[in-house]
């Protein structure tokens, strides 16, 4: 347990946190951008699927008549 305590490092100069915060902010922004992109693509795919289902239902109705 004592060996793990030596792995923790809390700098007295708090400016050393700036690069870590900047890196984290970049990754968080990138994750949000990818998330929004996936949602946008998913909505487009959903619309295409609904259109395809409507076309298939039309064809099925024409065949049954």
């Amino acid at each position: 347990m004592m060996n793990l305590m030596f792995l923790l490092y809390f700098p007295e100069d708090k400016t050393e946190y700036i690069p870590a915060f900047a890196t984290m902010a970049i990754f968080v922004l990138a994750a949000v951008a990818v998330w929004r992109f996936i949602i946008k693509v998913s909505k487009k795919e959903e619309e295409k699927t609904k259109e395809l289902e409507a076309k298939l239902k039309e064809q099925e109705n024409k065949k049954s008549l």
Side-chain angles (χ1 to χ4, degrees), residues 13-63:
D13 182 17
K14 300 302 180 197
T15 58
E16 292 184 30
Y17 288 123
I18 294 173
F21 176 75
T23 303
M24 184 183 71
I26 290 169
F27 278 97
V28 167
L29 290 174
V32 169
V34 169
W35 177 57
R36 291 181 57 91
F37 175 74
I38 290 172
I39 289 174
K40 183 183 279 189
V41 170
S42 175
K43 286 183 180 179
K44 286 182 182 178
E45 289 294 322
E46 182 182 9
E47 290 175 11
K48 288 180 184 178
T49 304
K50 285 182 180 180
E51 289 175 9
L52 181 61
E53 286 177 355
K55 286 180 184 178
L56 290 173
K57 283 183 182 180
E58 276 184 32
Q59 288 178 357
E60 186 177 304
N61 286 338
K62 286 180 182 178
K63 286 183 180 180

Side-chain angles (χ1 to χ4, degrees), residues 1-8:
M1 187 67 162
M2 287 297 270
N3 291 338
L4 293 177
M5 292 181 67
F6 294 114
L7 296 176
L8 294 176

